[in-house]
Amino acid sequence: MELSEAIIKAKENNQMAFNFLLETFWNDVFGFMIKRTQNENDAEDITIETFFKAFDKINSFDQKFKFKTWLITIAKNTHLDRLRKQKNALTNQTTEEDENRVYWIQDDAPSAEDKLITEQNLAELLKDIKKLKPHHQEIIQLRYFQEHSYQEISKIIDVPINNVKVKLLRAKKLLACIIRSKT
């Protein structure tokens, strides 16, 4: 499918055209947002929101312009909107009284007992992870213990990034079932 054909079909609510556009431009928008936000989760959220907005307003797209540029502009504006909302929320939330109260906050650093309980819980979690199939264990290890990004995991296990997300979701669901079955 060609880009211009996909855009025309997307304007007619063709799901395959939407999928084509998403797959074609996901990495461009996500990469742009990673550079702006320096945070993979925020970048992914904004990218998803960008495509939602773009597909919702696809009829307003003028084909005199490049589709990628249009998407990047939506992503940039979505990011700026989020930043404004965060700034307003912070400004509206703190009062002088709140600022003075900060000095009376108790130390919540974990005690020796808390650390021991955390270590025991981690040991239990590791036992539960070992009950998963090796490929599920690997993807959980890569994401949560070695803290690799989706893109890094994609390269390590040599599968597309969307498959990484699906595999990780399945692994988490299976792990949740294992944990629930013990209670």
Side-chain angles (χ1 to χ4, degrees):
M1 185 180 303
E2 293 219 6
L3 179 59
S4 57
E5 178 187 358
I7 293 169
I8 291 167
K9 286 184 177 183
K11 287 182 176 185
E12 297 167 355
N13 284 333
N14 180 305
Q15 190 60 46
M16 288 180 62
F18 286 130
N19 289 342
F20 174 81
L21 294 171
L22 179 72
E23 289 175 15
T24 303
F25 294 102
W26 175 271
N27 288 339
D28 295 320
V29 176
F30 182 74
F32 175 77
M33 289 317 307
I34 279 283
K35 288 177 187 169
R36 284 183 67 101
T37 63
Q38 300 292 309
N39 180 303
E40 189 173 320
N41 292 328
D42 289 345
E44 186 175 21
D45 289 346
I46 294 169
T47 302
I48 290 167
E49 193 173 337
T50 297
F51 278 99
F52 176 78
K53 287 179 178 180
F55 292 162
D56 192 42
K57 301 289 185 189
I58 191 81
N59 288 322
S60 70
F61 174 70
D62 185 348
Q63 291 203 350
K64 289 186 283 187
F65 303 102
K66 288 190 175 191
F67 191 75
K68 178 180 170 182
T69 305
W70 186 65
L71 283 173
I72 296 294
T73 303
I74 293 171
K76 184 176 72 172
N77 290 337
T78 301
H79 182 229
L80 289 173
D81 288 345
R82 278 182 168 226
L83 291 175
R84 283 186 199 110
K85 285 178 187 174
Q86 288 173 354
K87 182 180 176 188
N88 286 340
L90 287 175
T91 304
N92 293 338
Q93 287 176 356
T94 56
T95 63
E96 191 174 326
E97 182 182 330
D98 290 334
E99 290 177 16
N100 290 333
R101 238 184 291 153
V102 167
Y103 297 106
W104 300 103
I105 294 177
Q106 292 181 359
D107 181 13
D108 287 336
S111 66
E113 293 89 6
D114 292 335
K115 288 179 184 175
L116 183 61
I117 291 169
T118 301
E119 288 173 15
Q120 288 172 344
N121 289 341
L122 180 59
E124 279 296 311
L125 178 62
L126 291 173
K127 284 181 192 173
D128 292 338
I129 290 172
K130 291 210 184 278
K131 294 176 185 174
L132 294 171
K133 291 182 179 176
H135 63 277
H136 288 131
Q137 289 179 31
E138 177 186 29
I139 201 150
I140 286 179
Q141 285 284 340
L142 290 170
R143 181 69 178 154
Y144 297 108
F145 292 95
Q146 297 175 20
E147 298 181 349
H148 286 290
S149 69
Y150 292 123
Q151 200 165 15
E152 292 169 334
I153 295 171
S154 172
K155 288 178 185 171
I156 292 169
I157 64 175
D158 194 30
V159 297
I161 197 164
N162 288 339
N163 289 10
V164 169
K165 294 174 186 175
V166 170
K167 286 176 182 279
L168 187 60
L169 182 62
R170 284 187 191 138
K172 289 191 306 188
K173 284 184 178 181
L174 290 170
L175 182 58
C177 287
I178 289 170
I179 292 169
R180 269 191 238 112
S181 70
K182 293 187 331 184
T183 56

